[in-house]
């Protein structure tokens, strides 16, 4: 009875405007504003907290139009209708720019690096190699993780020139290498010439199996987004792990760029990690009050995402049936992505999810793209303008109705910045971060590193931070009722 009342209110509020709209068309000068208000009134997650979005705010189209005319443009209207602090809801000026994430490409020499200030000369800086991209120009040169460089084309790197020399300068340059003991920079005779070329990033950066006591630990360093572009590749990686009898998984995202994710992609990755929970509830959606009530009566199944068993009609998901997964979220100012948080929250009722590194941000909302059509779909959109809305419309819950607006506290803390004097080799126990995780797996005891940056290095730049995408949240696809009249 309560749901029926909510739905009646929802439809009544829509009918007030739609019935009036049949008497005349929306004035041409406020078509965009009308779309913005109605879209947010219907689906904005925080609609009930915004007085001007209340269903009882206007008694007629004339009153609504007068309100819409009080704004100089649709952008100022959109901004005024968001709750304070909402930086995820966006208005897209041209929906033709909304495209599926493409395979990651770049113009690079393959050198990924960081910059620290020199202790003895505060104007000078020192570069250090974090990793080399496979099949890049740098991968064919004598340069590797943990090495240092102090000059480019014979010019000393400083606070004011390193970006111009390394990022914005010539496509071809020569690094002058140096030795560094933590205090003194000593130039040596080694030089490395690098050339930036068009580059296609591989689907996965590094994957291997590591024996730890009786466990076979699958180690996956993943540095791309979580878009559909790489799902098949990830599925093949999990098949390799499956064939190697992997029973523990370390998902290393310290160099991950985030972005590009839909809830469907996350559900498929969840099934790769598990597999023993087919057709069980993985994700629940909580929309605003009136939309939630409508979906519960008319499309209840659309509010639930279950563990899938296939990527598509012909491709099975390769599952490891794991009970534990270890997710590394290390790096300065890196708190994971909304996609990773959704994966963590969704899996937690079923298996042990161990967060390594930083506490996550708490991005627990999902978004949808709204076009100006009766059901807000792209196909029948009105051609009078090209704007679209991408508001947050729901909160994600797991099967136990738990969400994560406060983020996830890490089980094992690591240093914010990797120790430039002790980087080790990626994928080997000489890498302090991976070694800490492997010890955690072996002993069951999380020993956090509290001896961070004993040399008090000033970390100025990291090339991965510069490549990370703005986290616009997780998107969903949803059939909406015809309410935009």
């Amino acid at each position: 009875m309560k749901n029926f009342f909510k739905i009646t209110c929802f439809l009544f509020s829509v009918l007030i405007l739609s019935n009036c709209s049949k008497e005349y068309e929306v004035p041409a000068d406020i078509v965009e504003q009308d779309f913005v208000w109605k879209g947010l009134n219907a689906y904005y997650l925080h609609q009930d907290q915004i007085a001007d979005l209340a269903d009882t705010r206007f008694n007629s189209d004339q009153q609504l139009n007068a309100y819409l005319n009080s704004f100089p443009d649709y952008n100022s209207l959109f901004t005024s209708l968001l709750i304070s602090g909402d930086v995820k809801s966006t208005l897209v000026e041209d929906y033709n720019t909304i495209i599926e994430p493409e395979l990651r490409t770049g113009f690079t020499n393959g050198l990924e690096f960081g910059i620290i200030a020199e202790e003895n000369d505060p104007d000078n800086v020192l570069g250090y190699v974090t990793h080399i991209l496979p099949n890049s120009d740098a991968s064919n040169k004598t340069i590797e993780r943990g090495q240092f460089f102090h000059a480019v084309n014979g010019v000393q790197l400083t606070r004011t020139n390193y970006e111009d020399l390394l990022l914005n300068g010539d496509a071809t340059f020569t690094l002058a290498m140096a030795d560094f003991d933590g205090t003194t920079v000593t130039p040596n005779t080694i030089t490395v010439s690098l050339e930036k070329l068009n580059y296609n990033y591989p689907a996965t950066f590094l994957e291997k199996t590591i024996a730890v006591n009786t466990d076979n630990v699958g180690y996956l360093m993943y540095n791309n987004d979580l878009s559909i572009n790489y799902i098949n590749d990830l599925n093949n990686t999990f098949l390799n792990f499956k064939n190697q009898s992997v029973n523990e998984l370390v998902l290393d995202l310290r160099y991950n760029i985030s972005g590009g994710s839909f809830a469907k992609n996350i559900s498929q990755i969840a099934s790769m990690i598990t597999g023993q929970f087919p057709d069980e509830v993985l994700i629940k959606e909580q929309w605003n009050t009136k939309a939630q009530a409508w979906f519960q009566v008319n499309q209840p199944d659309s509010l639930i995402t279950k563990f899938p068993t296939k990527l598509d009609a012909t491709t099975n998901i390769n599952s490891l049936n794991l009970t534990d997964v270890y997710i590394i979220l290390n790096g300065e100012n890196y708190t994971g992505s909304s996609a990773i948080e959704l994966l963590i929250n969704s899996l937690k009722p079923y298996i042990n999810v161990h967060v390594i590194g930083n506490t996550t941000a708490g991005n627990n909302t999902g978004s949808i793209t709204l076009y100006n059509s009766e059901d807000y779909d792209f196909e029948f959109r009105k051609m009078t303008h090209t704007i679209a809305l991408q508001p947050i419309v729901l909160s994600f819950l797991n099967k136990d109705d738990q969400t994560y607006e406060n983020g996830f506290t890490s089980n094992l803390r690591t240093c914010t910045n990797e120790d430039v004097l002790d980087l080790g080799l990626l994928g080997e126990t000489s890498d302090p971060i991976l070694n800490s995780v492997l010890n955690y797996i072996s002993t069951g005891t999380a020993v956090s590193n509290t001896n961070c940056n004993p040399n008090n290095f000033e970390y100025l730049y990291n090339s991965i931070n510069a490549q990370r995408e703005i986290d616009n949240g997780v998107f969903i696809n949803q059939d909406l009722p015809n309410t935009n009249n």
Side-chain angles (χ1 to χ4, degrees), residues 13 37 41 47-48 50-58 290:
S13 65
W37 188 89
N41 167 264
Q47 180 263 345
D48 61 351
I50 305 297
D52 283 344
L53 284 177
D55 296 335
T56 56
R57 174 68 172 83
F58 308 103
K290 60 183 180 180

Side-chain angles (χ1 to χ4, degrees), residues 140-161:
N140 297 314
K141 305 296 174 63
T142 307
I143 187 170
E144 61 185 17
R145 175 175 168 87
Q147 290 184 312
F148 299 94
F149 54 92
H150 72 98
V152 172
N153 295 335
V155 179
Q156 170 66 46
L157 292 172
T158 68
R159 290 176 181 267
T160 57
N161 72 11

Side-chain angles (χ1 to χ4, degrees), residues 19 22 37 40 77 106 121 149 158 167 169 198 208 241 261 300 322 328 332 339 345-346 355 368 380-381 429 446:
N19 287 339
K22 293 175 183 178
W37 188 89
L40 294 180
L77 170 66
D121 190 335
F149 54 92
T158 68
L167 305 175
N198 291 324
K208 64 182 300 185
F241 285 154
S261 57
L322 300 180
I328 299 176
E332 188 173 18
N345 191 62
S346 303
V355 178
I368 196 170
F380 299 109
R381 68 198 182 282
T429 55

Side-chain angles (χ1 to χ4, degrees), residues 94-385:
D94 184 358
Y95 51 62
N96 294 299
T97 63
I98 302 174
I99 58 175
E100 290 291 330
E102 299 178 344
L103 288 169
R104 188 179 172 202
T105 61
F107 186 62
T108 179
N109 51 38
L111 171 70
E112 301 291 2
F113 63 94
I115 297 288
I116 60 173
E118 282 194 26
E119 182 177 347
N120 295 326
D121 190 335
D123 291 329
N124 290 346
V125 301
L126 182 67
Y128 62 96
V129 181
T130 59
H131 57 295
I132 300 296
L133 297 175
N135 302 315
S136 65
D137 180 68
S139 69
N140 297 314
K141 305 296 174 63
T142 307
I143 187 170
E144 61 185 17
R145 175 175 168 87
Q147 290 184 312
F148 299 94
F149 54 92
H150 72 98
V152 172
N153 295 335
V155 179
Q156 170 66 46
L157 292 172
T158 68
R159 290 176 181 267
T160 57
N161 72 11
Y162 75 84
E163 291 189 42
D164 286 337
L165 293 174
L166 291 167
L167 305 175
N168 306 322
D170 296 336
T172 301
F173 56 73
T174 299
L175 298 177
M177 310 304 287
D179 299 319
F180 181 53
D181 62 5
T183 302
T184 304
V185 177
T186 305
N188 57 40
T189 60
I190 301 172
T191 60
V192 180
S193 294
L194 298 174
E195 181 181 6
K196 294 179 181 179
L197 302 168
N198 291 324
Y199 183 75
N200 297 319
Y201 286 81
T204 58
F205 179 80
L206 177 62
E207 58 183 78
K208 64 182 300 185
T209 301
I210 304 169
V212 178
N213 297 331
T214 59
D215 291 319
N216 289 325
V217 179
Y219 175 72
L220 173 59
M221 173 166 272
Y222 188 74
N223 64 336
N224 286 316
D225 61 39
L226 294 172
S227 70
I228 192 173
N229 293 318
Y230 301 107
I231 292 297
N232 276 300
D233 296 289
L234 284 172
N235 199 39
N236 291 332
T237 294
F238 276 78
L239 177 60
N240 295 335
F241 285 154
K242 185 176 182 179
N243 291 336
Q244 296 171 59
S245 300
V246 161
N247 62 345
E248 303 275 7
L249 177 67
V250 177
L251 181 57
D252 191 342
L253 301 177
R254 75 180 87 168
Y255 302 141
N256 176 250
I257 65 164
S258 306
S261 57
F262 275 75
K264 180 180 178 181
N265 306 345
I266 303 306
S267 71
Q268 293 169 337
I269 295 172
S271 283
M272 294 177 198
I273 295 170
T274 58
Q276 63 269 46
F277 311 107
D279 214 32
E280 293 288 327
V281 173
L282 178 68
I283 301 169
K284 294 181 181 179
E285 299 173 8
Q286 182 70 49
W287 294 61
N288 68 34
T289 302
K290 60 183 180 180
Q292 184 78 8
W294 188 91
F295 286 126
Q296 285 174 339
V297 170
N298 295 279
Q299 298 175 12
D301 290 345
S302 71
L303 296 173
I304 293 174
T305 299
K306 297 183 177 181
F307 282 94
T309 58
K310 290 179 175 293
L311 295 184
D312 52 49
T314 59
T315 307
N316 291 326
I317 291 177
N318 298 312
S319 301
L320 296 181
N321 297 296
L322 300 180
T323 59
D324 292 81
V325 61
Y326 301 79
I327 301 178
I328 299 176
L329 301 174
N330 193 77
E332 188 173 18
N333 299 320
Y334 180 52
T335 54
S337 67
S338 52
I340 295 304
E341 289 189 298
L342 176 59
L343 178 66
I344 293 170
N345 191 62
S346 303
L347 285 175
K348 281 182 78 69
Y350 293 97
I351 67 172
N352 301 312
V353 183
H354 308 268
V355 178
I356 313 300
N358 297 326
T359 297
T360 68
N363 294 320
N364 68 324
T365 56
S367 300
I368 196 170
T369 303
L370 302 177
Y371 302 92
N372 197 357
S373 65
E374 287 190 353
D375 59 358
Y376 295 100
D377 201 2
F378 178 81
E379 185 177 2
F380 299 109
R381 68 198 182 282
K382 298 174 184 177
M383 307 302 290
T384 54
H385 62 81

Side-chain angles (χ1 to χ4, degrees), residues 460-478:
L460 300 174
Y461 178 83
N462 185 287
S463 62
I464 293 300
N465 288 344
Q467 296 174 60
R468 286 203 166 108
E469 299 179 8
I470 296 174
D471 187 3
N472 290 321
V474 177
F475 278 76
I476 59 138
N477 291 316
Q478 180 74 282

Side-chain angles (χ1 to χ4, degrees), residues 412-415 432 436 447-452:
L412 172 64
R413 296 289 297 177
T414 56
C415 295
S436 294
V447 180
S448 298
N449 190 349
T450 58
N451 186 29
C452 296

Side-chain angles (χ1 to χ4, degrees), residues 380-397:
F380 299 109
R381 68 198 182 282
K382 298 174 184 177
M383 307 302 290
T384 54
H385 62 81
T386 61
I387 70 170
L389 305 180
Q390 292 185 324
I392 53 175
V393 297
L394 58 87
S395 295
F396 289 113
L397 312 173

